Amino acid sequence: MSLSDPQAPPPRLPSAALPLDLLVRQLGEGVVTVLHAPESPAAMSGVSYFDSEAEPQTLVGQLILVTAHGEFAQDRFAAICAQLADAGACGIVIRAAQGAADPALLAACDEYDLELLALAPEIGWREFDALASRLLGEHGAGLQLGTNSGDRLFALANSIAQVFGGSVAIEDHRRNILAYSAIAGQAIDSLRANGILTRRTPDGPLNEIRYRQVFSTDGVSRFPTEEPFSPRAAVPLRAGNITLGSIWAIDPEGHDTSIPLSPEKRDVLLDAAQIAAGYIVDAWRFDHGDERSKETALRRFLAGSPHENDTTVLGIRPEKHYLVVAIESSRAAGADISELRTAASRHLSVYFPGSSCTIIDGRVIALVPASSTEPVSRSLERLVPELTRLSGGSCHCGIGEPRRPGSSFAVDAERAIRIAECAAEQGFSLATSEKVQPQLVLRACADALQSDALQLPETLALLAAQEAETHTTLLAWLEERGNAPRVAERLRVHEQTVRYRIRKAESRLGIDLFDPDRTLVLWLQLRLATLRPG
């Protein structure tokens, strides 16, 4: 990172800067802790990622996220801190092992009067960026947004962007950007990029005309390309006659506004406007709910050991129905699973207010208020592509059955996990119990028949390593109901080879394929062995 001109007077910190001690208190120790605080209280006006290759820039009031400080040699810390302090940064955020920072980094922060914060291991960098940016917006003169509403608006913006293919911004009545989309490959222009950086739409004659048009109608307004700005579609946010803000979507296909907007795009904007308006109105009540407390309560509830007030913390109501969703990922681990939890939480809270998410044994588990699996399935179909992108591998969702709350949802969580495992086995992106019921029955049988005392002698013989070829042939024979041509095609051998192997197995191992009960048990035990190899 290059230095700004040391002789230039430092720009003034915006009056809406957020004191770092307030940031820490609002986020809580479960998110960030203070490793070093300067004598003079520090305040932030934004969040930036550390980039050693960046061009000269001003970082006044910026909280710098150093995502890989462990890769730096100790003798570099002083130079880095000197550069950041010279550029006007207020502090540094790192991910410290076991909550302890390198002594050389602590000394450098002390020397250059920089605050040093440690991010909790389970919190992703993008999640912290969103949390800090949201609190900064709440501290400013614009609309006051609570924790839940901010996450929901970000998820809502992503949902709109997936339909339009372009960047989406949700603004308050003062044109402050409350939330914006962040999906891969979305179209974006300089106007939107600058707005996201400053959290406010820039002023200008063109914008004034467009805002007047948007706020003079209840429907969708469209604007063609005005170089260098991309075409847009916008809709106002209202509560009765009160204007709350607006939603703006870049439409890469909207150059010719004489061509009608597709029904899908129009509907997603109008539906989103209703949802966003409701969240903004609710946000005026400024929800101070502690998300970390909710997550802890949810873990206890799913483990079957809830505390007395956990239902109150989670907002669970006895007359409503709830279901459990489990999300399996083939590659997510560590910070990645935290990103999946954040994405799932934002998405579900938009479409199913009152949802809660946590991480258990490397899986995302969600408790969702819903009386049917169908709307949850439709919603998750839109979420899975984003989860797949974040994890870099396949993701599979298991959706449990809705019911009224009891003492816990431990059994429901186990069931949802099994459904997700069956979905992964069958290659489904998501599944309900009905979709994978045969696989669930097989897994239940496998649990009940684990004892060797229940195994047929011929089954034990076929499971031996030297009988692998006979085992594979006989299982295929049973699954194809004795159709030798299909078995031969499946195993890529001659039909006579198949028949020869079956005859030898019958005579050598005493297998009686004319005994229906014994054949059924043999087939079941061989099939179950494929679920639990070894």
Side-chain angles (χ1 to χ4, degrees), residues 402-415:
R403 68 173 179 86
R404 285 196 171 96
S407 59
S408 83
F409 279 89
V411 173
D412 304 73
E414 292 176 6
R415 177 81 166 174

Side-chain angles (χ1 to χ4, degrees), residues 490-507:
R490 178 170 160 178
L491 301 181
R492 299 183 179 181
V493 297
H494 195 275
E495 291 179 30
Q496 293 303 323
T497 302
V498 172
R499 295 189 175 94
Y500 173 78
R501 290 179 184 175
I502 296 300
R503 286 198 302 271
K504 293 291 290 182
E506 288 177 312
S507 62

Side-chain angles (χ1 to χ4, degrees), residues 394-470:
S394 59
C395 289
H396 309 275
C397 302
I399 306 170
E401 292 297 321
R403 68 173 179 86
R404 285 196 171 96
S407 59
S408 83
F409 279 89
V411 173
D412 304 73
E414 292 176 6
R415 177 81 166 174
I417 289 170
R418 284 224 158 177
I419 294 172
E421 291 172 345
C422 292
E425 176 189 318
Q426 298 297 308
F428 301 145
S429 61
L430 59 92
T432 60
S433 60
E434 182 180 5
K435 190 170 185 177
V436 292
Q437 191 67 21
Q439 288 72 36
L440 291 172
V441 171
L442 287 174
R443 286 171 178 266
C445 290
D447 290 342
L449 301 176
Q450 289 187 57
S451 171
D452 285 345
L454 296 175
Q455 299 278 18
L456 295 175
E458 50 266 45
T459 301
L460 291 173
L462 286 166
L463 294 179
Q466 63 270 24
E467 296 290 352
E469 183 180 79
T470 307

Side-chain angles (χ1 to χ4, degrees), residues 210-447:
R210 289 182 168 186
Y211 275 102
R212 281 199 298 270
Q213 179 176 333
V214 170
F215 292 140
S216 66
T217 178
D218 292 326
V220 176
S221 299
R222 300 178 64 203
F223 304 97
T225 303
E226 297 262 1
E227 292 295 339
F229 306 136
S230 302
R232 280 164 164 73
V235 65
L237 305 179
R238 288 196 177 93
N241 294 323
I242 301 174
T243 299
L244 304 175
S246 54
I247 300 177
W248 294 77
I250 289 179
D251 184 7
E253 301 172 350
H255 301 283
D256 186 355
T257 55
S258 66
I259 300 175
L261 195 66
S262 72
E264 183 183 17
K265 291 179 178 179
R266 183 189 66 249
D267 290 345
V268 76
L269 266 183
L270 294 175
D271 291 344
Q274 289 186 342
I275 294 172
Y279 289 151
I280 290 174
V281 171
D282 288 343
W284 281 338
R285 290 190 282 270
F286 202 78
D287 177 13
H288 285 284
D290 186 343
E291 292 300 314
R292 297 299 151 195
S293 296
K294 287 184 66 176
E295 194 166 341
T296 301
L298 179 59
R299 287 198 193 100
R300 290 194 295 258
F301 214 69
L302 295 176
S305 56
H307 289 185
E308 184 177 356
N309 66 334
D310 281 350
T311 55
T312 303
V313 172
L314 293 169
I316 293 175
R317 295 161 55 183
E319 73 276 9
K320 296 187 68 173
H321 285 75
Y322 296 82
L323 59 78
V324 176
V325 172
I327 301 174
E328 291 265 348
S329 173
S330 60
R331 294 184 60 182
D336 290 336
I337 196 69
S338 177
E339 298 283 358
L340 297 188
R341 189 254 296 149
T342 300
S345 178
R346 286 178 173 173
H347 181 91
L348 290 171
S349 65
V350 168
Y351 296 100
F352 303 94
S355 298
S356 301
C357 288
T358 188
I359 298 172
I360 298 177
D361 296 332
R363 302 178 182 90
V364 177
I365 309 294
L367 184 63
V368 181
S371 57
S372 169
T373 60
E374 291 183 10
V376 179
S377 297
R378 290 195 300 269
S379 182
L380 290 176
E381 284 176 355
R382 298 191 292 270
L383 175 63
V384 167
E386 174 68 6
L387 298 180
T388 300
R389 182 187 69 81
L390 288 173
S391 68
S394 59
C395 289
H396 309 275
C397 302
I399 306 170
E401 292 297 321
R403 68 173 179 86
R404 285 196 171 96
S407 59
S408 83
F409 279 89
V411 173
D412 304 73
E414 292 176 6
R415 177 81 166 174
I417 289 170
R418 284 224 158 177
I419 294 172
E421 291 172 345
C422 292
E425 176 189 318
Q426 298 297 308
F428 301 145
S429 61
L430 59 92
T432 60
S433 60
E434 182 180 5
K435 190 170 185 177
V436 292
Q437 191 67 21
Q439 288 72 36
L440 291 172
V441 171
L442 287 174
R443 286 171 178 266
C445 290
D447 290 342

Side-chain angles (χ1 to χ4, degrees), residues 14-71:
S15 60
L18 175 67
L20 289 183
D21 61 344
L22 179 59
L23 171 76
V24 174
R25 289 200 307 273
Q26 290 280 356
L27 294 180
E29 292 187 356
V31 175
V32 67
T33 55
V34 178
L35 299 179
H36 171 75
E39 292 184 4
S40 301
M44 61 168 280
S45 60
V47 177
S48 297
Y49 287 85
F50 178 75
D51 183 358
S52 59
E53 305 299 325
E55 294 297 320
Q57 56 187 299
T58 296
L59 297 170
V60 172
Q62 294 293 299
L63 185 61
I64 309 300
L65 310 186
V66 184
T67 59
H69 83 284
E71 298 178 5

Side-chain angles (χ1 to χ4, degrees), residues 130-155:
L131 289 170
S133 298
R134 187 176 65 246
L135 282 178
L136 181 63
E138 294 168 0
H139 183 71
L143 177 68
Q144 297 282 300
L145 275 186
T147 304
N148 290 338
S149 299
D151 282 346
R152 293 168 183 172
L153 290 177
F154 274 97

